[in-house]
Amino acid sequence: MDWHPSKEQLAFSAVEGGKRYGYFYDINDQTLINTQIAGMSSPNYSSDGSVYYHQWDLDKVITRLKIDEQVASSPFSMLSTNFSSLFPEYNQQQDKLLYVSNESGSSQLWIVSPDSSSRKQLTHFAHNTGEIRDPTWSADGRYILFSLYDNGSTRLYFYDFKVEQSQQIKLPFSHAVKPKFSADSQHILVSDGDYLYRYDLTAKSLGKAVDVPAQFGVETQAGDILFTNSRHAIWIKHHETGVEEMLVNDIKLARNYAWLLVAKNAYHDGRIYYYKERLGDYRISYYDLASKQHHDLIALPERAYSRSSGLTYIPNERWLVYTAYLSPETEIKRLPAAYLPK
């Protein structure tokens, strides 16, 4: 935000319904004007009253990458819409892809078939409620766990397909980091930013899921917990012994939760896919749990994908699905003083 050099007027940017816009606010008469310029960010007044701003036109789109093929594949858009779509996660029981979209004018949960048919909106939160983030399925496909981000804090909810309604889980901390369901679909693993805890769906605490500090964790069908407390290592807690040890110690994650465990299948013996940043490009890579080797799948331009919006895998199609930026533009533009509010 920035103050006008000679008037009681403020210029600022804000996100509304998943879109970033610029605003002018007059302090004296308390009027708010939306510039209707999508992507307007970091406005700054010059001495003559003109406004220079950074335009981030960064709509997000669900993208698929075919893997385990002899011929390399380019990424393809799965959902061709004029709205932002992000946070994809596939559930095999439902055979549906879950995602968040602002298509209705506000942040809502949607599901769609892998062939992009049968789209359905699940939630109907009020326009000014906040943004839905980090949705995740239960393994049995009955529940969707998600966070509602509003005014700097998060509220945790789960959507129940049996009643087709959402219900809040009231946790004793204000910011729930990347919650995930347990393998039995009855509990959740969620971090307060320091430690990883286990709760049931009534918000009853079942104690720490792991003893050491952790910000994100997933539970395997065998009951082991893979977790991270930094961008440089992935740990494992063995369900049989309770021993916690480093599983991958030479990884460089774009975010400490920017990874996906894919169990053994016909094409490999288990992998961890992850986002990796290198100087000048972004990469999608994987760690082979059998060979203990890292491999790069694809190198992409900077800002080609959203580091915080997840990865998922559709086994029947052998698709790795993620959130990409649709034709990202980051330009500096000018609004002359003559065209601004008097």
Side-chain angles (χ1 to χ4, degrees), residues 87 100 107 131-135 145-149 154 175 179:
F87 294 113
V100 176
S107 180
E131 294 181 56
I132 293 177
R133 297 182 179 179
D134 305 323
L145 187 68
F146 61 96
S147 297
L148 196 62
Y149 181 82
T154 56
H175 186 58

Side-chain angles (χ1 to χ4, degrees), residues 226-271:
L226 274 66
F227 62 95
T228 47
N229 54 24
S230 75
R231 295 168 55 182
H232 308 296
I234 297 177
W235 292 64
I236 184 170
K237 178 179 180 178
H238 299 279
H239 72 284
E240 293 178 338
T241 63
V243 172
E244 299 169 0
E245 64 178 355
M246 196 175 293
L247 179 67
V248 187
N249 65 357
D250 56 349
I251 199 167
K252 296 180 181 179
L253 303 170
R255 293 284 187 272
N256 59 10
Y257 46 76
W259 53 274
L260 169 72
L261 174 67
V262 175
K264 179 179 178 180
N265 58 31
Y267 301 95
H268 57 76
D269 292 325
R271 290 176 179 173

